[in-house]
Amino acid sequence: MRRYGLSDSQWERIKDLLPGREGHVGGTAADNRLFVEAVLYRYRAGIPWRDLPVRFGDWKNVHRRLRRWCEGGVIERIFRHLAADHDNEYMMIDSTIVRAHQHSAGARKKGGADQAIGRSRGGLTTKIHAIVNAAGKVVALSLTPGQRADITEAEPLLDEVDPEAFIADKAYDADPLIEKLEARGIIPVIPSKKNRRNPWKILFSLYKKRNIIERFFASLKQFRGIATRYDKLKSTFLAAA
């Protein structure tokens, strides 16, 4: 297996979801695996598209094809397929901020589209919000500008999952979220903020599991093209994440 390439087992899990597969309507693509590995290589190494090794073909074609897959919902379909097989015992939410390179700014806004790049004291930033399960597998994901509060994405992401218990840090201690969890029969494992008048007790043995999502973000940022955002479009960067 080449550096940053797919293992055979990984390829088997996604190959039948891709356009151009054998038996699919239209032409059969002979290089689907090579294309996927080209995208992985670019984000793992954090290089500009034009510096993609020649073995992957013309970098313009690779980038153009990635954009077609983003716009056609191929990437989302793969994510939904892989995320569907998960354990509902408990899940956890958190977010991480990544610096947005100056080259990521300036995308044309079609219809007022938000590209999830914000400006704060640290400069241009994007925030990645994620829910992962007990195995550290991401099951829901979204992007916002870096200055957006963590709590704003909790309820929309929660609509995509159905865990028995939901773990989060104090940033998610808000009555509307707690009430929504309890209404759905989900056990909230969220420490109370210091200013809460009637703090509640939580299962700290379960709260300790929150390190799983921290490890997930640490692994995600091993991809240099994600640790620093170079993509102008939100859909492209979300596809990479």
Side-chain angles (χ1 to χ4, degrees):
M1 185 178 72
R2 291 182 181 272
R3 183 168 169 83
Y4 309 149
L6 291 170
S7 67
D8 289 341
S9 61
Q10 290 172 329
W11 173 243
E12 287 295 324
R13 294 179 67 190
I14 66 170
K15 69 176 186 178
D16 293 332
L17 302 171
L18 308 181
R21 61 187 179 274
E22 188 174 351
H24 187 252
V25 177
T28 300
D31 61 344
N32 267 348
R33 183 167 181 170
L34 183 66
F35 163 71
V36 173
E37 291 185 346
V39 174
L40 287 174
Y41 186 98
R42 188 264 174 169
Y43 284 98
R44 184 65 177 82
I47 58 175
W49 282 107
R50 65 179 63 250
D51 291 338
L52 203 62
V54 294
R55 71 173 184 269
F56 294 118
D58 188 341
W59 68 269
K60 291 182 180 178
N61 291 336
V62 175
H63 181 262
R64 188 180 300 114
R65 189 171 177 182
L66 175 61
R67 287 301 311 148
R68 285 203 307 268
W69 282 24
C70 290
E71 293 171 0
V74 177
I75 303 296
E76 183 177 1
R77 186 162 63 247
I78 295 171
F79 174 75
R80 297 295 179 191
H81 173 77
L82 296 177
D85 180 21
H86 58 71
D87 181 3
N88 283 337
E89 181 181 359
Y90 61 84
M91 296 181 187
M92 59 209 74
I93 188 172
D94 207 348
S95 69
T96 188
I97 289 180
V98 299
R99 289 291 298 272
H101 193 273
Q102 59 184 0
H103 292 166
S104 68
R108 293 181 180 179
K109 293 186 177 181
K110 296 181 180 180
D114 173 23
Q115 301 304 340
I117 296 178
R119 186 177 295 277
S120 57
R121 185 177 298 177
L124 298 175
T125 54
T126 289
K127 185 174 285 189
I128 302 173
H129 304 259
I131 292 179
V132 305
N133 67 0
K137 179 180 180 180
V138 62
V139 294
L141 197 67
S142 68
L143 301 178
T144 64
Q147 75 275 11
R148 188 78 57 83
D150 292 354
I151 191 67
T152 59
E153 290 298 293
E155 291 194 36
L157 289 179
L158 188 60
D159 289 339
E160 301 181 29
V161 297
D162 190 27
E164 296 175 15
F166 194 65
I167 307 171
D169 62 23
K170 292 181 181 180
Y172 297 89
D173 176 18
D175 289 337
L177 178 60
I178 302 298
E179 291 168 2
K180 182 171 184 176
L181 290 170
E182 292 177 339
R184 290 180 54 185
I186 301 172
I187 301 171
V189 186
I190 305 174
S192 302
K193 293 180 180 178
K194 291 183 178 180
N195 62 354
R196 182 173 284 278
R197 292 184 178 180
N198 299 306
W200 47 69
K201 294 181 180 180
I202 64 169
L203 297 171
F204 274 100
S205 59
L206 190 54
Y207 182 72
K208 290 179 181 178
K209 304 290 186 181
R210 206 180 66 82
N211 71 87
I212 294 172
I213 195 168
E214 301 292 351
R215 296 203 304 269
F216 162 75
F217 282 129
S219 297
L220 186 65
K221 288 187 175 182
Q222 292 298 310
F223 287 77
R224 297 171 63 87
I226 296 177
T228 300
R229 174 176 171 174
Y230 299 99
D231 298 303
K232 289 182 180 294
L233 299 180
K234 175 181 179 180
S235 58
T236 308
F237 189 62
L238 184 60

